[in-house]
Coordinates of all heavy atoms in Angstrom, one line a residue:
M1 N 0.8 -1.2 0.0 CA 0.0 0.0 0.0 C 0.9 1.3 0.0 O 0.6 2.2 -0.7 CB -0.9 0.0 1.2 CG -1.8 1.1 1.3 SD -3.1 1.0 0.1 CE -4.1 2.3 0.6
E2 N 1.9 1.2 0.8 CA 2.8 2.4 0.9 C 3.6 2.6 -0.4 O 3.8 3.7 -0.8 CB 3.7 2.2 2.1 CG 4.5 3.5 2.4 CD 5.4 3.3 3.7 OE1 4.8 2.9 4.7 OE2 6.6 3.6 3.6
E3 N 3.9 1.5 -1.0 CA 4.7 1.6 -2.3 C 3.8 2.2 -3.4 O 4.3 3.0 -4.2 CB 5.1 0.2 -2.7 CG 6.0 0.2 -3.9 CD 6.5 -1.2 -4.2 OE1 7.1 -1.9 -3.3 OE2 6.3 -1.7 -5.4
S4 N 2.5 1.9 -3.4 CA 1.7 2.5 -4.4 C 1.5 4.0 -4.2 O 1.4 4.8 -5.2 CB 0.3 1.8 -4.5 OG -0.4 2.0 -3.3
I5 N 1.5 4.4 -3.0 CA 1.4 5.9 -2.7 C 2.6 6.6 -3.2 O 2.5 7.7 -3.7 CB 1.1 6.1 -1.2 CG1 -0.2 5.6 -0.8 CG2 1.3 7.6 -0.8 CD1 -0.5 5.6 0.7
I6 N 3.8 6.0 -3.0 CA 5.0 6.6 -3.5 C 5.0 6.6 -5.0 O 5.4 7.7 -5.6 CB 6.2 5.7 -3.0 CG1 6.3 5.9 -1.4 CG2 7.5 6.2 -3.6 CD1 7.4 4.9 -0.8
R7 N 4.5 5.6 -5.7 CA 4.4 5.6 -7.1 C 3.5 6.7 -7.6 O 3.8 7.4 -8.6 CB 4.0 4.3 -7.6 CG 5.0 3.2 -7.5 CD 4.5 1.9 -8.0 NE 5.5 0.9 -7.8 CZ 5.4 -0.4 -8.1 NH1 4.2 -0.8 -8.6 NH2 6.3 -1.3 -7.9
I8 N 2.4 6.9 -6.9 CA 1.4 7.9 -7.3 C 2.0 9.3 -7.2 O 1.9 10.2 -8.0 CB 0.1 7.8 -6.5 CG1 -0.6 6.5 -7.0 CG2 -0.8 9.0 -6.7 CD1 -1.8 6.2 -6.1
G9 N 2.8 9.5 -6.1 CA 3.4 10.7 -5.8 C 4.5 11.0 -6.9 O 4.6 12.2 -7.4
I10 N 5.3 10.0 -7.2 CA 6.3 10.2 -8.3 C 5.6 10.6 -9.6 O 6.1 11.4 -10.4 CB 7.2 9.0 -8.4 CG1 8.0 8.8 -7.1 CG2 8.0 9.0 -9.6 CD1 8.8 7.5 -7.0
A11 N 4.5 9.9 -10.0 CA 3.8 10.2 -11.2 C 3.3 11.6 -11.2 O 3.3 12.3 -12.2 CB 2.7 9.1 -11.4
F12 N 2.7 12.0 -10.1 CA 2.2 13.4 -9.9 C 3.3 14.4 -10.1 O 3.1 15.4 -10.9 CB 1.5 13.5 -8.6 CG 0.9 14.9 -8.4 CD1 -0.3 15.3 -9.0 CD2 1.6 15.8 -7.6 CE1 -0.8 16.6 -8.9 CE2 1.1 17.1 -7.4 CZ -0.1 17.5 -8.1
I13 N 4.4 14.2 -9.5 CA 5.5 15.1 -9.6 C 6.1 15.2 -11.1 O 6.4 16.2 -11.6 CB 6.7 14.8 -8.6 CG1 6.2 15.1 -7.2 CG2 7.9 15.6 -8.9 CD1 7.1 14.6 -6.1
G14 N 6.1 14.0 -11.7 CA 6.5 14.0 -13.1 C 5.6 14.7 -14.0 O 6.0 15.4 -14.9
G15 N 4.3 14.6 -13.8 CA 3.3 15.3 -14.6 C 3.4 16.8 -14.3 O 3.2 17.6 -15.3
L16 N 3.6 17.2 -13.1 CA 3.7 18.6 -12.8 C 4.9 19.2 -13.4 O 4.9 20.3 -14.0 CB 3.7 18.8 -11.2 CG 3.6 20.2 -10.7 CD1 2.3 20.8 -11.1 CD2 3.8 20.2 -9.2
A17 N 6.0 18.4 -13.4 CA 7.3 18.9 -14.0 C 7.1 19.0 -15.5 O 7.6 20.0 -16.1 CB 8.4 18.0 -13.7
S18 N 6.4 18.1 -16.1 CA 6.2 18.2 -17.6 C 5.3 19.4 -17.9 O 5.4 20.0 -19.0 CB 5.7 16.9 -18.2 OG 4.4 16.7 -17.7
F19 N 4.3 19.7 -17.1 CA 3.4 20.8 -17.3 C 4.1 22.1 -17.1 O 3.8 23.0 -17.9 CB 2.2 20.7 -16.3 CG 1.3 21.8 -16.5 CD1 0.4 21.8 -17.5 CD2 1.2 22.8 -15.5 CE1 -0.6 22.9 -17.6 CE2 0.3 23.9 -15.7 CZ -0.6 23.9 -16.7
L20 N 5.0 22.2 -16.2 CA 5.7 23.4 -15.9 C 7.0 23.6 -16.8 O 7.7 24.6 -16.6 CB 6.1 23.5 -14.4 CG 4.9 23.6 -13.5 CD1 5.4 23.6 -12.1 CD2 4.1 24.8 -13.8
S21 N 7.2 22.7 -17.7 CA 8.4 22.8 -18.6 C 8.3 24.0 -19.5 O 7.2 24.5 -19.8 CB 8.6 21.5 -19.4 OG 7.6 21.4 -20.3
P22 N 9.5 24.6 -19.9 CA 9.4 25.8 -20.7 C 8.8 25.6 -22.1 O 8.3 26.6 -22.7 CB 10.9 26.1 -20.9 CG 11.6 25.4 -19.8 CD 10.8 24.2 -19.5
C23 N 8.7 24.4 -22.6 CA 8.1 24.3 -23.9 C 6.6 24.1 -23.8 O 5.9 24.2 -24.8 CB 8.7 23.1 -24.6 SG 8.6 21.5 -23.7
V24 N 6.0 23.8 -22.6 CA 4.6 23.6 -22.5 C 3.9 24.8 -21.8 O 2.8 25.1 -22.2 CB 4.3 22.3 -21.7 CG1 2.8 22.1 -21.3 CG2 4.8 21.1 -22.4
L25 N 4.5 25.4 -20.9 CA 3.9 26.4 -20.1 C 3.4 27.6 -20.9 O 2.3 28.1 -20.7 CB 4.8 26.9 -19.0 CG 4.2 27.7 -17.9 CD1 3.1 26.9 -17.2 CD2 5.2 28.1 -16.8
P26 N 4.1 28.1 -22.0 CA 3.5 29.1 -22.8 C 2.3 28.8 -23.6 O 1.5 29.6 -24.0 CB 4.7 29.5 -23.8 CG 5.9 28.9 -23.2 CD 5.5 27.8 -22.3
L27 N 2.0 27.5 -23.7 CA 0.8 27.1 -24.5 C -0.4 27.1 -23.6 O -1.6 27.0 -24.1 CB 1.0 25.7 -25.0 CG 2.2 25.5 -26.0 CD1 2.4 24.0 -26.3 CD2 1.9 26.3 -27.2
V28 N -0.3 27.1 -22.3 CA -1.4 27.0 -21.4 C -2.5 28.1 -21.5 O -3.7 27.8 -21.6 CB -0.9 26.9 -19.9 CG1 -2.1 27.0 -18.9 CG2 -0.1 25.6 -19.7
P29 N -2.1 29.4 -21.6 CA -3.2 30.4 -21.8 C -4.0 30.2 -23.1 O -5.2 30.3 -23.0 CB -2.4 31.7 -21.9 CG -1.1 31.5 -21.2 CD -0.8 30.0 -21.4
G30 N -3.4 29.9 -24.2 CA -4.1 29.6 -25.4 C -5.0 28.4 -25.3 O -6.1 28.4 -25.8
Y31 N -4.5 27.4 -24.6 CA -5.2 26.1 -24.5 C -6.5 26.4 -23.6 O -7.6 26.0 -24.0 CB -4.3 25.1 -23.8 CG -5.0 23.9 -23.3 CD1 -5.4 22.9 -24.2 CD2 -5.2 23.6 -22.0 CE1 -6.1 21.8 -23.8 CE2 -5.9 22.5 -21.5 CZ -6.3 21.6 -22.5 OH -6.9 20.4 -22.0
I32 N -6.3 27.1 -22.5 CA -7.5 27.4 -21.7 C -8.5 28.3 -22.4 O -9.7 28.1 -22.3 CB -7.0 28.1 -20.3 CG1 -6.2 27.0 -19.5 CG2 -8.1 28.6 -19.6 CD1 -5.6 27.6 -18.3
S33 N -7.9 29.3 -23.2 CA -8.8 30.1 -23.9 C -9.6 29.3 -25.0 O -10.8 29.5 -25.1 CB -8.0 31.2 -24.6 OG -8.8 32.0 -25.5
L34 N -9.0 28.5 -25.7 CA -9.6 27.7 -26.7 C -10.7 26.7 -26.1 O -11.8 26.6 -26.6 CB -8.6 26.8 -27.5 CG -9.2 25.9 -28.6 CD1 -9.7 26.8 -29.7 CD2 -8.1 25.0 -29.1
M35 N -10.3 26.1 -25.0 CA -11.2 25.1 -24.3 C -12.4 25.8 -23.7 O -13.5 25.3 -23.6 CB -10.4 24.4 -23.3 CG -11.1 23.2 -22.7 SD -10.0 22.2 -21.7 CE -9.6 23.3 -20.4
S36 N -12.2 27.0 -23.1 CA -13.3 27.7 -22.4 C -14.2 28.5 -23.3 O -15.3 28.9 -22.9 CB -12.7 28.6 -21.3 OG -12.0 29.6 -21.9
G37 N -13.7 28.9 -24.5 CA -14.5 29.8 -25.3 C -14.4 31.3 -25.0 O -15.1 32.1 -25.5
V38 N -13.5 31.6 -24.0 CA -13.3 33.0 -23.7 C -11.9 33.4 -24.1 O -10.9 32.8 -23.8 CB -13.3 33.2 -22.1 CG1 -13.1 34.6 -21.7 CG2 -14.7 32.7 -21.6
S39 N -11.8 34.4 -25.0 CA -10.5 34.7 -25.6 C -9.7 35.6 -24.6 O -10.2 36.2 -23.7 CB -10.7 35.5 -26.9 OG -11.2 36.8 -26.6
I40 N -8.4 35.6 -24.8 CA -7.5 36.4 -23.9 C -7.8 37.8 -24.1 O -7.8 38.6 -23.2 CB -6.0 36.0 -24.2 CG1 -5.8 34.5 -23.8 CG2 -5.1 36.9 -23.4 CD1 -4.4 34.0 -24.1
D41 N -8.0 38.3 -25.3 CA -8.4 39.7 -25.6 C -9.6 40.1 -24.9 O -9.7 41.2 -24.4 CB -8.5 39.9 -27.1 CG -7.2 39.7 -27.9 OD1 -6.2 39.9 -27.3 OD2 -7.3 39.3 -29.1
H42 N -10.6 39.2 -24.8 CA -11.9 39.4 -24.1 C -11.6 39.7 -22.6 O -12.2 40.5 -22.0 CB -12.8 38.3 -24.3 CG -14.1 38.5 -23.6 ND1 -15.1 39.4 -24.0 CD2 -14.6 37.9 -22.5 CE1 -16.1 39.3 -23.1 NE2 -15.8 38.4 -22.2
L43 N -10.7 38.8 -22.1 CA -10.4 39.0 -20.6 C -9.6 40.3 -20.4 O -9.8 41.0 -19.4 CB -9.5 37.8 -20.2 CG -10.2 36.5 -20.0 CD1 -9.2 35.4 -19.7 CD2 -11.3 36.5 -19.0
K44 N -8.7 40.7 -21.3 CA -7.9 41.9 -21.1 C -8.8 43.1 -21.3 O -8.5 44.2 -20.7 CB -6.8 41.9 -22.1 CG -5.7 41.0 -21.8 CD -4.5 41.1 -22.8 CE -3.4 40.1 -22.4 NZ -2.3 40.2 -23.4
S45 N -9.8 43.1 -22.2 CA -10.6 44.3 -22.5 C -11.5 44.6 -21.4 O -12.0 45.8 -21.3 CB -11.3 44.1 -23.8 OG -12.4 43.1 -23.6
G46 N -11.9 43.7 -20.6 CA -12.8 43.9 -19.4 C -14.2 43.9 -19.8 O -15.1 44.3 -19.0
E47 N -14.5 43.4 -21.0 CA -15.9 43.3 -21.4 C -16.6 42.2 -20.6 O -16.1 41.2 -20.4 CB -16.0 42.9 -22.9 CG -15.5 43.9 -23.9 CD -15.5 43.4 -25.3 OE1 -16.2 42.4 -25.5 OE2 -14.8 43.9 -26.1
G48 N -17.8 42.6 -20.1 CA -18.5 41.6 -19.2 C -17.8 41.5 -17.9 O -16.9 42.2 -17.5
S49 N -18.3 40.6 -17.1 CA -17.7 40.4 -15.8 C -16.5 39.5 -15.8 O -16.6 38.4 -16.4 CB -18.8 39.9 -14.9 OG -18.3 39.5 -13.6
R50 N -15.5 39.8 -15.2 CA -14.3 39.0 -15.1 C -14.6 37.7 -14.3 O -14.1 36.6 -14.5 CB -13.1 39.7 -14.5 CG -12.6 40.8 -15.4 CD -11.4 41.5 -14.7 NE -10.2 40.7 -14.8 CZ -9.2 41.0 -15.6 NH1 -9.3 42.0 -16.4 NH2 -8.2 40.2 -15.7
V51 N -15.5 37.9 -13.3 CA -15.9 36.7 -12.5 C -16.6 35.7 -13.3 O -16.4 34.5 -13.2 CB -16.8 37.2 -11.3 CG1 -17.3 36.0 -10.5 CG2 -16.0 38.1 -10.4
N52 N -17.5 36.2 -14.2 CA -18.2 35.2 -15.1 C -17.3 34.6 -16.1 O -17.5 33.4 -16.4 CB -19.3 36.0 -15.9 CG -20.5 36.4 -15.0 OD1 -20.7 35.8 -13.9 ND2 -21.3 37.4 -15.4
A53 N -16.3 35.3 -16.6 CA -15.3 34.7 -17.5 C -14.5 33.7 -16.8 O -14.3 32.6 -17.3 CB -14.4 35.8 -18.1
R54 N -14.1 34.0 -15.6 CA -13.3 33.0 -14.8 C -14.1 31.8 -14.5 O -13.7 30.6 -14.5 CB -12.7 33.6 -13.5 CG -11.6 34.5 -13.8 CD -11.0 35.1 -12.6 NE -10.0 36.0 -12.9 CZ -9.5 36.9 -12.1 NH1 -9.9 36.9 -10.8 NH2 -8.5 37.7 -12.4
R55 N -15.4 32.0 -14.1 CA -16.3 30.9 -13.8 C -16.5 30.0 -15.1 O -16.4 28.8 -15.0 CB -17.6 31.4 -13.4 CG -18.6 30.3 -12.9 CD -19.9 30.8 -12.3 NE -19.6 31.6 -11.1 CZ -20.1 32.8 -10.9 NH1 -20.9 33.4 -11.7 NH2 -19.8 33.4 -9.7
A56 N -16.6 30.6 -16.2 CA -16.8 29.8 -17.5 C -15.5 29.0 -17.8 O -15.6 27.9 -18.2 CB -17.0 30.8 -18.7
I57 N -14.3 29.6 -17.5 CA -13.1 28.9 -17.8 C -13.0 27.7 -16.8 O -12.7 26.6 -17.3 CB -11.9 29.8 -17.6 CG1 -11.8 30.9 -18.7 CG2 -10.6 29.1 -17.5 CD1 -10.8 32.0 -18.4
I58 N -13.3 27.9 -15.6 CA -13.2 26.8 -14.6 C -14.2 25.7 -14.9 O -13.8 24.5 -14.9 CB -13.3 27.4 -13.2 CG1 -12.1 28.2 -12.8 CG2 -13.5 26.2 -12.1 CD1 -12.3 29.0 -11.5
V59 N -15.4 26.1 -15.1 CA -16.5 25.1 -15.4 C -16.2 24.3 -16.7 O -16.2 23.0 -16.7 CB -17.9 25.7 -15.5 CG1 -18.9 24.8 -16.0 CG2 -18.3 26.2 -14.1
N60 N -15.8 24.9 -17.7 CA -15.5 24.2 -19.0 C -14.2 23.4 -18.8 O -14.2 22.3 -19.4 CB -15.3 25.3 -20.1 CG -16.6 25.9 -20.5 OD1 -17.7 25.3 -20.2 ND2 -16.6 27.0 -21.2
S61 N -13.2 23.9 -18.1 CA -12.0 23.1 -17.9 C -12.3 21.8 -17.1 O -11.8 20.7 -17.4 CB -11.0 23.9 -17.2 OG -10.6 25.0 -17.9
L62 N -13.1 21.9 -16.0 CA -13.5 20.8 -15.2 C -14.3 19.8 -16.1 O -14.1 18.6 -16.0 CB -14.2 21.2 -14.0 CG -13.4 21.9 -12.9 CD1 -14.3 22.4 -11.8 CD2 -12.3 21.0 -12.4
A63 N -15.2 20.3 -16.9 CA -16.0 19.4 -17.7 C -15.2 18.7 -18.7 O -15.4 17.5 -19.0 CB -17.2 20.2 -18.4
F64 N -14.2 19.4 -19.3 CA -13.3 18.8 -20.3 C -12.5 17.7 -19.6 O -12.4 16.6 -20.2 CB -12.4 19.8 -20.9 CG -11.4 19.3 -21.8 CD1 -11.7 19.0 -23.1 CD2 -10.1 19.1 -21.4 CE1 -10.7 18.5 -24.0 CE2 -9.1 18.6 -22.2 CZ -9.4 18.3 -23.5
N65 N -11.9 17.9 -18.5 CA -11.1 17.0 -17.8 C -11.9 15.8 -17.3 O -11.5 14.6 -17.4 CB -10.4 17.6 -16.6 CG -9.2 18.5 -17.1 OD1 -8.5 18.1 -18.0 ND2 -9.1 19.6 -16.5
A66 N -13.2 16.0 -16.9 CA -14.0 14.9 -16.5 C -14.4 14.0 -17.6 O -14.3 12.8 -17.5 CB -15.3 15.5 -15.8
G67 N -14.7 14.6 -18.8 CA -15.0 13.8 -20.0 C -13.8 13.0 -20.5 O -14.0 11.8 -20.8
L68 N -12.7 13.6 -20.5 CA -11.5 13.0 -20.9 C -11.1 11.8 -20.0 O -10.8 10.7 -20.4 CB -10.3 13.9 -20.9 CG -9.1 13.6 -21.8 CD1 -9.5 13.4 -23.2 CD2 -8.0 14.6 -21.6
S69 N -11.3 12.0 -18.7 CA -11.1 11.0 -17.7 C -12.0 9.8 -17.9 O -11.6 8.6 -17.8 CB -11.2 11.5 -16.3 OG -10.2 12.5 -16.0
V70 N -13.3 10.1 -18.1 CA -14.3 9.0 -18.3 C -13.9 8.2 -19.5 O -14.0 7.0 -19.5 CB -15.7 9.6 -18.4 CG1 -16.7 8.6 -18.9 CG2 -16.1 10.1 -17.0
I71 N -13.5 8.9 -20.6 CA -13.2 8.1 -21.8 C -12.0 7.2 -21.6 O -12.0 6.0 -22.0 CB -12.9 9.1 -23.0 CG1 -14.2 9.8 -23.4 CG2 -12.2 8.5 -24.1 CD1 -14.0 11.0 -24.3
F72 N -10.9 7.7 -21.0 CA -9.7 6.9 -20.8 C -9.9 5.8 -19.8 O -9.4 4.7 -20.0 CB -8.5 7.8 -20.5 CG -7.9 8.4 -21.7 CD1 -8.0 9.8 -21.9 CD2 -7.3 7.7 -22.7 CE1 -7.5 10.4 -23.0 CE2 -6.8 8.3 -23.8 CZ -6.9 9.6 -24.0
L73 N -10.7 6.1 -18.8 CA -11.0 5.0 -17.8 C -11.8 3.9 -18.4 O -11.6 2.7 -18.2 CB -11.7 5.6 -16.6 CG -10.8 6.4 -15.6 CD1 -11.7 7.1 -14.5 CD2 -9.8 5.6 -15.0
S74 N -12.8 4.3 -19.2 CA -13.7 3.3 -19.8 C -12.9 2.5 -20.9 O -13.0 1.3 -21.0 CB -14.9 3.9 -20.5 OG -14.6 4.8 -21.5
L75 N -12.0 3.1 -21.6 CA -11.1 2.4 -22.6 C -10.2 1.5 -21.9 O -10.0 0.3 -22.3 CB -10.3 3.4 -23.4 CG -11.0 4.1 -24.5 CD1 -10.1 5.2 -25.1 CD2 -11.5 3.2 -25.6
G76 N -9.6 1.9 -20.8 CA -8.7 1.0 -20.0 C -9.4 -0.2 -19.4 O -8.9 -1.3 -19.4
A77 N -10.6 0.1 -18.9 CA -11.4 -1.0 -18.3 C -11.8 -2.0 -19.3 O -11.8 -3.2 -19.1 CB -12.6 -0.5 -17.5
T78 N -12.3 -1.5 -20.5 CA -12.7 -2.4 -21.5 C -11.5 -3.2 -22.1 O -11.6 -4.4 -22.3 CB -13.3 -1.6 -22.7 OG1 -14.4 -0.8 -22.2 CG2 -13.8 -2.5 -23.8
A79 N -10.4 -2.6 -22.3 CA -9.2 -3.3 -22.7 C -8.8 -4.4 -21.7 O -8.4 -5.5 -22.1 CB -8.0 -2.3 -23.0
G80 N -8.9 -4.1 -20.4 CA -8.5 -5.0 -19.4 C -9.4 -6.2 -19.4 O -9.0 -7.4 -19.3
L81 N -10.7 -6.0 -19.6 CA -11.7 -7.1 -19.6 C -11.5 -8.0 -20.8 O -11.5 -9.2 -20.7 CB -13.1 -6.5 -19.5 CG -13.5 -5.9 -18.2 CD1 -14.9 -5.3 -18.4 CD2 -13.6 -6.9 -17.1
I82 N -11.3 -7.3 -22.0 CA -11.1 -8.1 -23.2 C -9.8 -8.9 -23.1 O -9.7 -10.0 -23.5 CB -11.1 -7.2 -24.4 CG1 -12.5 -6.6 -24.6 CG2 -10.6 -7.9 -25.7 CD1 -12.6 -5.6 -25.7
G83 N -8.8 -8.2 -22.6 CA -7.5 -8.9 -22.4 C -7.6 -10.1 -21.5 O -7.0 -11.2 -21.8
A84 N -8.3 -10.0 -20.4 CA -8.4 -11.1 -19.5 C -9.2 -12.2 -20.1 O -8.9 -13.4 -19.9 CB -9.1 -10.6 -18.2
A85 N -10.2 -11.9 -20.9 CA -11.0 -12.9 -21.6 C -10.2 -13.7 -22.7 O -10.4 -14.9 -22.9 CB -12.3 -12.3 -22.2
I86 N -9.4 -12.9 -23.4 CA -8.6 -13.5 -24.5 C -7.5 -14.4 -24.0 O -7.2 -15.4 -24.5 CB -8.1 -12.4 -25.4 CG1 -9.3 -11.8 -26.2 CG2 -7.1 -12.9 -26.4 CD1 -8.9 -10.7 -27.1
T87 N -6.8 -13.9 -23.0 CA -5.6 -14.7 -22.5 C -5.9 -16.0 -21.9 O -5.0 -16.9 -21.9 CB -4.8 -13.9 -21.5 OG1 -5.6 -13.5 -20.4 CG2 -4.2 -12.6 -22.2
N88 N -7.1 -16.2 -21.5 CA -7.5 -17.5 -20.9 C -8.0 -18.5 -22.0 O -8.2 -19.7 -21.7 CB -8.6 -17.3 -19.9 CG -8.1 -16.6 -18.7 OD1 -7.0 -16.6 -18.4 ND2 -9.0 -15.8 -18.1
N89 N -8.0 -18.1 -23.3 CA -8.5 -19.0 -24.3 C -7.3 -19.6 -25.1 O -6.5 -18.9 -25.6 CB -9.4 -18.2 -25.3 CG -10.1 -19.1 -26.2 OD1 -9.8 -20.3 -26.5 ND2 -11.2 -18.6 -26.8
V90 N -7.2 -20.9 -25.1 CA -6.1 -21.6 -25.8 C -6.1 -21.4 -27.3 O -5.0 -21.2 -27.9 CB -6.1 -23.1 -25.4 CG1 -5.0 -23.8 -26.2 CG2 -6.0 -23.3 -24.0
W91 N -7.3 -21.4 -27.9 CA -7.4 -21.2 -29.3 C -6.9 -19.8 -29.8 O -6.3 -19.7 -30.9 CB -8.8 -21.5 -29.8 CG -9.1 -22.9 -29.7 CD1 -9.9 -23.6 -28.8 CD2 -8.6 -23.9 -30.6 NE1 -9.9 -24.9 -29.1 CE2 -9.1 -25.2 -30.2 CE3 -7.7 -23.9 -31.7 CZ2 -8.8 -26.4 -30.8 CZ3 -7.4 -25.2 -32.3 CH2 -7.9 -26.3 -31.8
V92 N -7.1 -18.8 -29.0 CA -6.6 -17.5 -29.4 C -5.1 -17.5 -29.4 O -4.5 -16.9 -30.3 CB -7.2 -16.4 -28.4 CG1 -6.5 -15.1 -28.6 CG2 -8.7 -16.3 -28.5
R93 N -4.5 -18.2 -28.5 CA -3.0 -18.3 -28.5 C -2.5 -19.0 -29.7 O -1.5 -18.6 -30.3 CB -2.5 -19.0 -27.2 CG -2.8 -18.2 -25.9 CD -2.2 -18.9 -24.8 NE -2.7 -18.3 -23.5 CZ -2.5 -18.8 -22.4 NH1 -1.8 -19.9 -22.2 NH2 -3.0 -18.3 -21.3
V94 N -3.2 -20.1 -30.0 CA -2.7 -20.9 -31.2 C -2.9 -20.1 -32.5 O -1.9 -20.0 -33.3 CB -3.5 -22.2 -31.3 CG1 -3.2 -23.0 -32.6 CG2 -3.2 -23.1 -30.1
V95 N -4.0 -19.5 -32.7 CA -4.3 -18.7 -33.9 C -3.3 -17.5 -33.9 O -2.7 -17.2 -35.0 CB -5.7 -18.2 -34.0 CG1 -5.9 -17.2 -35.1 CG2 -6.6 -19.4 -34.1
G96 N -3.1 -16.8 -32.8 CA -2.1 -15.7 -32.7 C -0.7 -16.2 -33.1 O 0.0 -15.5 -33.8
G97 N -0.3 -17.3 -32.6 CA 1.0 -17.8 -32.9 C 1.1 -18.1 -34.4 O 2.2 -17.9 -35.0
L98 N 0.1 -18.7 -35.0 CA 0.1 -19.0 -36.4 C 0.2 -17.7 -37.3 O 0.9 -17.7 -38.3 CB -1.1 -19.8 -36.8 CG -1.1 -21.3 -36.3 CD1 -2.5 -21.9 -36.6 CD2 0.1 -22.1 -36.9
V99 N -0.5 -16.7 -36.8 CA -0.5 -15.4 -37.5 C 0.9 -14.8 -37.5 O 1.4 -14.3 -38.5 CB -1.6 -14.4 -37.0 CG1 -1.3 -13.0 -37.5 CG2 -3.0 -14.9 -37.3
I100 N 1.5 -14.9 -36.3 CA 2.9 -14.4 -36.1 C 3.9 -15.1 -37.0 O 4.8 -14.6 -37.7 CB 3.3 -14.4 -34.7 CG1 2.5 -13.3 -33.9 CG2 4.8 -14.1 -34.5 CD1 2.7 -13.4 -32.4
I101 N 3.7 -16.5 -37.1 CA 4.6 -17.3 -38.0 C 4.4 -16.9 -39.4 O 5.3 -16.7 -40.2 CB 4.3 -18.8 -37.7 CG1 4.8 -19.2 -36.3 CG2 5.0 -19.6 -38.8 CD1 4.4 -20.6 -35.9
A102 N 3.1 -16.7 -39.8 CA 2.8 -16.3 -41.2 C 3.4 -14.9 -41.5 O 4.0 -14.7 -42.6 CB 1.3 -16.3 -41.4
F103 N 3.3 -14.0 -40.6 CA 3.9 -12.7 -40.8 C 5.5 -12.8 -40.9 O 6.1 -12.1 -41.7 CB 3.6 -11.7 -39.7 CG 2.2 -11.2 -39.7 CD1 1.6 -10.6 -38.6 CD2 1.4 -11.3 -40.8 CE1 0.3 -10.1 -38.6 CE2 0.1 -10.8 -40.9 CZ -0.4 -10.2 -39.8
G104 N 6.1 -13.6 -40.1 CA 7.5 -13.8 -40.2 C 7.9 -14.4 -41.5 O 8.9 -14.0 -42.1
L105 N 7.2 -15.4 -42.0 CA 7.5 -16.0 -43.3 C 7.3 -15.0 -44.4 O 8.1 -15.0 -45.3 CB 6.6 -17.3 -43.5 CG 6.9 -18.5 -42.6 CD1 5.8 -19.5 -42.8 CD2 8.3 -19.0 -42.9
Q106 N 6.3 -14.2 -44.3 CA 6.1 -13.2 -45.4 C 7.2 -12.1 -45.3 O 7.7 -11.7 -46.3 CB 4.8 -12.5 -45.1 CG 4.3 -11.6 -46.3 CD 4.8 -10.2 -46.2 OE1 5.2 -9.7 -45.1 NE2 4.9 -9.5 -47.3
L107 N 7.7 -11.8 -44.1 CA 8.8 -10.9 -44.0 C 10.1 -11.3 -44.6 O 10.8 -10.5 -45.2 CB 9.0 -10.5 -42.5 CG 10.0 -9.4 -42.1 CD1 9.5 -8.1 -42.6 CD2 10.2 -9.4 -40.6
I108 N 10.4 -12.6 -44.4 CA 11.6 -13.1 -45.0 C 11.5 -13.5 -46.5 O 12.4 -14.0 -47.1 CB 12.2 -14.3 -44.2 CG1 11.2 -15.5 -44.2 CG2 12.5 -13.9 -42.8 CD1 11.8 -16.8 -43.6
G109 N 10.3 -13.3 -47.0 CA 10.1 -13.5 -48.5 C 9.6 -14.9 -48.9 O 9.8 -15.3 -50.1
V110 N 9.1 -15.7 -48.0 CA 8.7 -17.1 -48.4 C 7.3 -17.0 -48.9 O 6.4 -16.3 -48.5 CB 8.7 -18.0 -47.1 CG1 8.1 -19.4 -47.5 CG2 10.1 -18.2 -46.6

């Protein structure tokens, strides 16, 4: 249990470091602007309420991240279930091995 907490912490620090890198950080304002539908010029000009613009940015960002998380979690869970079902079947292994042999023979020109 303690080892998994350490791994999660290391992954979090790695993600934070990659986000704060000099080649990614300048892209963040444009990314947030595109994702939220509020342009940087609109924020600078003061049109409308800044509180409403910030609220729109936060709500749209959270919705985007929630949707992305659901998609990747469902893809991972589905791949795991399919993988568990396939690896227990002997015929899938035999057919897979024959396909790999056929690909190898084709690669060497037979």
Side-chain angles (χ1 to χ4, degrees):
M1 181 69 170
E2 189 173 311
E3 186 176 305
S4 65
I5 293 173
I6 293 171
R7 289 181 183 175
I8 291 171
I10 291 171
F12 179 77
I13 291 171
L16 191 62
S18 69
F19 178 76
L20 296 175
S21 69
C23 57
V24 173
L25 199 55
L27 300 173
V28 172
Y31 171 74
I32 291 175
S33 173
L34 179 69
M35 191 172 61
S36 67
V38 179
S39 70
I40 295 174
D41 294 332
H42 178 74
L43 289 174
K44 287 181 180 178
S45 70
E47 296 175 15
S49 172
R50 291 179 78 104
V51 174
N52 288 338
R54 287 183 182 164
R55 185 175 297 132
I57 291 170
I58 291 170
V59 168
N60 289 341
S61 298
L62 290 175
F64 175 80
N65 286 321
L68 199 64
S69 297
V70 166
I71 289 170
F72 281 110
L73 286 173
S74 62
L75 283 173
T78 303
L81 291 173
I82 291 171
I86 287 176
T87 56
N88 293 332
N89 191 342
V90 176
W91 287 106
V92 172
R93 292 183 195 174
V94 170
V95 171
L98 292 173
V99 168
I100 290 173
I101 291 170
F103 284 165
L105 291 173
Q106 191 272 336
L107 186 66
I108 62 173
V110 173

